[in-house]
Amino acid sequence: MKVLSLSTATIFSAILASSARALGAAATIIEHEENQKSYLRQNPLVNPNDLIATSDSDAADSSSTTAKWLFTDEEEAIELGQDATTGGTNWKLDGCCGRYETIFLSCFAAYLVVIKLLWNTFIMKPMKLVAVFVHEFGHATACWLTGGKVHGIEVYTNEGGVTKYTGGWRFFVIPAGYLGGAFWGAVFVVMSGDRWASLSIAIIFCVGMAVSLFFAPNATMVGLNIGFIVLTVAFILVDQLAITPFLQFLTLFYGVFIGIFSVYDIWDDLITRTVEGSDAHACHKLIPCCLPRCVGVQFAVVALAFQALGLYLALVWMSSGSA
């Protein structure tokens, strides 16, 4: 009887212990559900399925795997020259400008001064012809993009040029000269903020000059394009094999000059005077209510906006850690 009583007591104790554990687990579940309900009442937009309990170690592992560009500390982001709210792109230019940005802005300003001082000298003549080429190539590109056919591209020593084409959408082709020059000037400036980007735009420039030689160029344009292809390729080789950065200084100069030339050309040809046969007159014929000088003012505003945008985007790129 004593043995039976002892066994019965042991079994009874085990049952009580199991029941206590079960009740404890149930209480924990009920408490967790109550906490969820309380949280949901305070945060009605939260999806209940997202409320997953994690241990402290899981939370630590989760925080350690956060992507590097997702900053939770705004001061840390600013310290690194990046914008905490936009995934690493420093759109607000916080912390600008560091060493590279200062060098970039100094070169930009120096180029403006040099261009101004040497504008009417023979030294700038080749660059003016390059800017004219970019203008004409803008017409040609717009023609190709709208289904037209280009028959010839010519550049003249008097800083004029002509693109012979048929078809295409004239509303797009005509403004693409002046505005195309301003656009490509801005692109050169933006791409000069990074070594590999400057290499890309230099290659695009050389390819564009080479392609244009297959569209009945005159002798001036042949010499101009071959000369600048050789110059640009030489800078590419020096940059890749000997001195870095090197090419970026050239592409930045291209961008500043082409952009400034486009703005000056609009001012000189379309605003201060009206030239019969100009792009502004062609736009006036398409839209009679829009006078040539009015067209020139619109072109000038857009061209200046391109230059400002190009400089801003270059600084954003550099201050975001891409330079």
Side-chain angles (χ1 to χ4, degrees):
M1 289 295 293
K2 289 183 179 179
V3 173
L4 181 60
S5 299
L6 183 60
S7 300
T8 304
T10 303
I11 294 170
F12 186 73
S13 298
I15 293 172
L16 287 177
S18 299
S19 300
R21 284 195 296 271
L23 288 173
T28 302
I29 293 171
I30 292 170
E31 183 182 357
H32 178 64
E33 290 178 351
E34 288 298 320
N35 288 338
Q36 285 186 343
K37 291 177 182 178
S38 175
Y39 181 80
L40 287 172
R41 282 195 295 271
Q42 297 174 13
N43 303 273
L45 298 180
V46 174
N47 185 347
N49 295 327
D50 293 337
L51 297 176
I52 302 173
T54 57
S55 65
D56 292 339
S57 60
D58 290 339
D61 292 340
S62 175
S63 63
S64 65
T65 57
T66 302
K68 293 182 180 179
W69 59 85
L70 297 178
F71 291 100
T72 55
D73 188 329
E74 187 175 354
E75 290 182 3
E76 180 187 1
I78 293 174
E79 226 174 80
L80 295 174
Q82 298 179 327
D83 189 347
T85 63
T86 57
T89 303
N90 188 17
W91 296 110
K92 297 179 182 178
L93 295 181
D94 293 323
C96 183
C97 297
R99 178 189 172 192
Y100 293 110
E101 292 90 343
T102 302
I103 293 173
F104 182 85
L105 289 173
S106 299
C107 288
F108 190 96
Y111 288 157
L112 288 176
V113 173
V114 170
I115 290 169
K116 172 63 177 175
L117 293 176
L118 302 178
W119 184 258
N120 292 318
T121 66
F122 71 94
I123 297 175
M124 290 296 164
K125 188 70 170 182
M127 277 306 304
K128 288 182 178 180
L129 297 183
V130 167
V132 173
F133 164 78
V134 173
H135 175 115
E136 299 304 330
F137 198 73
H139 287 307
T141 304
C143 178
W144 287 323
L145 290 175
T146 55
K149 184 176 181 181
V150 175
H151 302 284
I153 305 173
E154 296 180 359
V155 173
Y156 307 124
T157 54
N158 65 352
E159 299 170 23
V162 63
T163 301
K164 302 172 184 177
Y165 70 95
T166 54
W169 188 32
R170 288 176 60 79
F171 280 99
F172 186 54
V173 175
I174 293 171
Y178 290 108
L179 299 185
F183 170 79
W184 282 110
V187 171
F188 269 106
V189 171
V190 173
M191 303 290 266
S192 298
D194 177 81
R195 183 189 180 195
W196 299 108
S198 68
L199 174 62
S200 300
I201 193 62
I203 292 173
I204 291 171
F205 175 69
C206 290
V207 170
M209 292 200 117
V211 167
S212 67
L213 294 177
F214 293 93
F215 292 88
N218 59 335
T220 299
M221 200 178 95
V222 171
L224 176 76
N225 288 21
I226 292 176
F228 272 88
I229 289 172
V230 170
L231 174 67
T232 306
V233 169
F235 268 75
I236 290 173
L237 293 175
V238 172
D239 183 83
Q240 295 297 311
L241 302 176
I243 304 171
T244 301
F246 192 71
L247 178 63
Q248 289 170 255
F249 293 104
L250 179 68
T251 55
L252 179 59
F253 181 73
Y254 283 170
V256 174
F257 192 97
I258 292 169
I260 292 302
F261 183 89
S262 298
V263 174
Y264 172 80
D265 212 22
I266 291 169
W267 172 261
D268 187 51
D269 290 349
L270 310 181
I271 297 177
T272 60
R273 60 195 175 102
T274 58
V275 180
E276 193 70 33
S278 68
D279 292 347
H281 264 278
C283 285
H284 171 61
K285 290 178 181 178
L286 291 174
I287 311 173
C289 63
C290 197
L291 299 176
R293 277 196 172 90
C294 178
V295 174
V297 171
Q298 294 174 50
F299 281 2
V301 170
V302 175
L304 288 170
F306 274 140
Q307 305 319 299
L309 181 63
L311 186 58
Y312 166 71
L313 291 178
L315 292 175
V316 167
W317 192 335
M318 298 179 75
S319 63
S320 296
S322 296

PDB file of all heavy atoms in Angstrom, residues 265-275 278 281 292-293:
ATOM      1  N   ASP A 265      25.445  82.277 -78.411  1.00  0.00           N
ATOM      2  CA  ASP A 265      24.927  82.186 -79.776  1.00  0.00           C
ATOM      3  C   ASP A 265      23.445  82.556 -79.821  1.00  0.00           C
ATOM      4  O   ASP A 265      22.984  83.251 -80.742  1.00  0.00           O
ATOM      5  CB  ASP A 265      25.127  80.757 -80.294  1.00  0.00           C
ATOM      6  CG  ASP A 265      25.367  80.722 -81.798  1.00  0.00           C
ATOM      7  OD1 ASP A 265      25.789  81.752 -82.354  1.00  0.00           O
ATOM      8  OD2 ASP A 265      25.130  79.667 -82.413  1.00  0.00           O
ATOM      9  N   ILE A 266      22.702  82.108 -78.823  1.00  0.00           N
ATOM     10  CA  ILE A 266      21.279  82.461 -78.751  1.00  0.00           C
ATOM     11  C   ILE A 266      21.122  83.968 -78.569  1.00  0.00           C
ATOM     12  O   ILE A 266      20.294  84.613 -79.227  1.00  0.00           O
ATOM     13  CB  ILE A 266      20.605  81.697 -77.592  1.00  0.00           C
ATOM     14  CG1 ILE A 266      20.534  80.203 -77.913  1.00  0.00           C
ATOM     15  CG2 ILE A 266      19.204  82.245 -77.317  1.00  0.00           C
ATOM     16  CD1 ILE A 266      20.122  79.336 -76.736  1.00  0.00           C
ATOM     17  N   TRP A 267      21.916  84.531 -77.681  1.00  0.00           N
ATOM     18  CA  TRP A 267      21.848  85.974 -77.421  1.00  0.00           C
ATOM     19  C   TRP A 267      22.209  86.773 -78.672  1.00  0.00           C
ATOM     20  O   TRP A 267      21.520  87.729 -79.029  1.00  0.00           O
ATOM     21  CB  TRP A 267      22.790  86.331 -76.272  1.00  0.00           C
ATOM     22  CG  TRP A 267      22.961  87.807 -76.043  1.00  0.00           C
ATOM     23  CD1 TRP A 267      23.998  88.589 -76.470  1.00  0.00           C
ATOM     24  CD2 TRP A 267      22.060  88.673 -75.365  1.00  0.00           C
ATOM     25  NE1 TRP A 267      23.811  89.892 -76.086  1.00  0.00           N
ATOM     26  CE2 TRP A 267      22.618  89.971 -75.405  1.00  0.00           C
ATOM     27  CE3 TRP A 267      20.848  88.490 -74.715  1.00  0.00           C
ATOM     28  CZ2 TRP A 267      22.003  91.076 -74.821  1.00  0.00           C
ATOM     29  CZ3 TRP A 267      20.234  89.593 -74.132  1.00  0.00           C
ATOM     30  CH2 TRP A 267      20.804  90.855 -74.193  1.00  0.00           C
ATOM     31  N   ASP A 268      23.276  86.366 -79.334  1.00  0.00           N
ATOM     32  CA  ASP A 268      23.783  87.138 -80.472  1.00  0.00           C
ATOM     33  C   ASP A 268      22.920  86.975 -81.723  1.00  0.00           C
ATOM     34  O   ASP A 268      22.701  87.942 -82.458  1.00  0.00           O
ATOM     35  CB  ASP A 268      25.225  86.691 -80.773  1.00  0.00           C
ATOM     36  CG  ASP A 268      25.879  87.559 -81.830  1.00  0.00           C
ATOM     37  OD1 ASP A 268      25.849  88.800 -81.682  1.00  0.00           O
ATOM     38  OD2 ASP A 268      26.402  87.004 -82.811  1.00  0.00           O
ATOM     39  N   ASP A 269      22.415  85.781 -81.960  1.00  0.00           N
ATOM     40  CA  ASP A 269      21.678  85.512 -83.196  1.00  0.00           C
ATOM     41  C   ASP A 269      20.174  85.732 -83.083  1.00  0.00           C
ATOM     42  O   ASP A 269      19.523  86.091 -84.070  1.00  0.00           O
ATOM     43  CB  ASP A 269      21.910  84.064 -83.654  1.00  0.00           C
ATOM     44  CG  ASP A 269      23.334  83.844 -84.156  1.00  0.00           C
ATOM     45  OD1 ASP A 269      24.048  84.841 -84.343  1.00  0.00           O
ATOM     46  OD2 ASP A 269      23.714  82.674 -84.341  1.00  0.00           O
ATOM     47  N   LEU A 270      19.620  85.508 -81.892  1.00  0.00           N
ATOM     48  CA  LEU A 270      18.168  85.457 -81.779  1.00  0.00           C
ATOM     49  C   LEU A 270      17.546  86.565 -80.937  1.00  0.00           C
ATOM     50  O   LEU A 270      16.348  86.839 -81.074  1.00  0.00           O
ATOM     51  CB  LEU A 270      17.733  84.102 -81.191  1.00  0.00           C
ATOM     52  CG  LEU A 270      18.332  82.858 -81.851  1.00  0.00           C
ATOM     53  CD1 LEU A 270      17.784  81.608 -81.189  1.00  0.00           C
ATOM     54  CD2 LEU A 270      18.054  82.844 -83.346  1.00  0.00           C
ATOM     55  N   ILE A 271      18.330  87.199 -80.061  1.00  0.00           N
ATOM     56  CA  ILE A 271      17.750  88.201 -79.165  1.00  0.00           C
ATOM     57  C   ILE A 271      18.188  89.613 -79.537  1.00  0.00           C
ATOM     58  O   ILE A 271      17.348  90.506 -79.712  1.00  0.00           O
ATOM     59  CB  ILE A 271      18.123  87.893 -77.701  1.00  0.00           C
ATOM     60  CG1 ILE A 271      17.525  86.544 -77.292  1.00  0.00           C
ATOM     61  CG2 ILE A 271      17.614  88.997 -76.762  1.00  0.00           C
ATOM     62  CD1 ILE A 271      17.887  86.097 -75.888  1.00  0.00           C
ATOM     63  N   THR A 272      19.498  89.843 -79.651  1.00  0.00           N
ATOM     64  CA  THR A 272      19.960  91.191 -79.980  1.00  0.00           C
ATOM     65  C   THR A 272      19.647  91.574 -81.414  1.00  0.00           C
ATOM     66  O   THR A 272      19.570  92.747 -81.745  1.00  0.00           O
ATOM     67  CB  THR A 272      21.477  91.313 -79.757  1.00  0.00           C
ATOM     68  OG1 THR A 272      22.160  90.368 -80.593  1.00  0.00           O
ATOM     69  CG2 THR A 272      21.824  91.056 -78.303  1.00  0.00           C
ATOM     70  N   ARG A 273      19.474  90.581 -82.263  1.00  0.00           N
ATOM     71  CA  ARG A 273      19.124  90.835 -83.666  1.00  0.00           C
ATOM     72  C   ARG A 273      18.355  89.638 -84.198  1.00  0.00           C
ATOM     73  O   ARG A 273      18.317  88.583 -83.557  1.00  0.00           O
ATOM     74  CB  ARG A 273      20.383  91.073 -84.510  1.00  0.00           C
ATOM     75  CG  ARG A 273      21.354  89.908 -84.510  1.00  0.00           C
ATOM     76  CD  ARG A 273      22.723  90.281 -85.036  1.00  0.00           C
ATOM     77  NE  ARG A 273      23.672  89.180 -84.930  1.00  0.00           N
ATOM     78  CZ  ARG A 273      24.034  88.405 -85.929  1.00  0.00           C
ATOM     79  NH1 ARG A 273      23.514  88.583 -87.139  1.00  0.00           N
ATOM     80  NH2 ARG A 273      24.921  87.447 -85.755  1.00  0.00           N
ATOM     81  N   THR A 274      17.735  89.806 -85.292  1.00  0.00           N
ATOM     82  CA  THR A 274      17.030  88.687 -85.931  1.00  0.00           C
ATOM     83  C   THR A 274      17.704  88.392 -87.267  1.00  0.00           C
ATOM     84  O   THR A 274      17.900  89.278 -88.094  1.00  0.00           O
ATOM     85  CB  THR A 274      15.547  89.035 -86.166  1.00  0.00           C
ATOM     86  OG1 THR A 274      15.448  90.205 -86.965  1.00  0.00           O
ATOM     87  CG2 THR A 274      14.843  89.258 -84.846  1.00  0.00           C
ATOM     88  N   VAL A 275      18.088  87.152 -87.440  1.00  0.00           N
ATOM     89  CA  VAL A 275      18.782  86.718 -88.650  1.00  0.00           C
ATOM     90  C   VAL A 275      17.824  85.895 -89.494  1.00  0.00           C
ATOM     91  O   VAL A 275      17.282  84.889 -89.029  1.00  0.00           O
ATOM     92  CB  VAL A 275      20.034  85.884 -88.299  1.00  0.00           C
ATOM     93  CG1 VAL A 275      20.740  85.429 -89.568  1.00  0.00           C
ATOM     94  CG2 VAL A 275      20.970  86.695 -87.407  1.00  0.00           C
ATOM     95  N   SER A 278      17.401  81.895 -89.550  1.00  0.00           N
ATOM     96  CA  SER A 278      17.848  81.290 -88.290  1.00  0.00           C
ATOM     97  C   SER A 278      16.802  80.301 -87.769  1.00  0.00           C
ATOM     98  O   SER A 278      15.670  80.227 -88.271  1.00  0.00           O
ATOM     99  CB  SER A 278      18.081  82.376 -87.235  1.00  0.00           C
ATOM    100  OG  SER A 278      16.840  82.969 -86.861  1.00  0.00           O
ATOM    101  N   HIS A 281      13.625  82.052 -86.689  1.00  0.00           N
ATOM    102  CA  HIS A 281      12.730  82.388 -87.800  1.00  0.00           C
ATOM    103  C   HIS A 281      11.976  81.145 -88.268  1.00  0.00           C
ATOM    104  O   HIS A 281      10.793  81.220 -88.622  1.00  0.00           O
ATOM    105  CB  HIS A 281      13.517  83.001 -88.956  1.00  0.00           C
ATOM    106  CG  HIS A 281      13.521  84.489 -88.955  1.00  0.00           C
ATOM    107  ND1 HIS A 281      12.487  85.238 -89.463  1.00  0.00           N
ATOM    108  CD2 HIS A 281      14.423  85.379 -88.468  1.00  0.00           C
ATOM    109  CE1 HIS A 281      12.748  86.530 -89.314  1.00  0.00           C
ATOM    110  NE2 HIS A 281      13.924  86.642 -88.715  1.00  0.00           N
ATOM    111  N   PRO A 292      10.308  85.865 -83.543  1.00  0.00           N
ATOM    112  CA  PRO A 292      11.668  85.315 -83.447  1.00  0.00           C
ATOM    113  C   PRO A 292      12.385  85.673 -82.148  1.00  0.00           C
ATOM    114  O   PRO A 292      13.031  84.818 -81.537  1.00  0.00           O
ATOM    115  CB  PRO A 292      12.376  85.920 -84.661  1.00  0.00           C
ATOM    116  CG  PRO A 292      11.280  86.128 -85.652  1.00  0.00           C
ATOM    117  CD  PRO A 292      10.085  86.524 -84.849  1.00  0.00           C
ATOM    118  N   ARG A 293      12.281  86.942 -81.724  1.00  0.00           N
ATOM    119  CA  ARG A 293      12.955  87.323 -80.479  1.00  0.00           C
ATOM    120  C   ARG A 293      12.348  86.618 -79.269  1.00  0.00           C
ATOM    121  O   ARG A 293      13.048  86.281 -78.307  1.00  0.00           O
ATOM    122  CB  ARG A 293      12.896  88.841 -80.290  1.00  0.00           C
ATOM    123  CG  ARG A 293      13.975  89.596 -81.056  1.00  0.00           C
ATOM    124  CD  ARG A 293      14.120  91.019 -80.543  1.00  0.00           C
ATOM    125  NE  ARG A 293      15.264  91.680 -81.140  1.00  0.00           N
ATOM    126  CZ  ARG A 293      15.236  92.378 -82.270  1.00  0.00           C
ATOM    127  NH1 ARG A 293      14.089  92.481 -82.944  1.00  0.00           N
ATOM    128  NH2 ARG A 293      16.320  92.955 -82.741  1.00  0.00           N
TER     129      ARG A 293
END
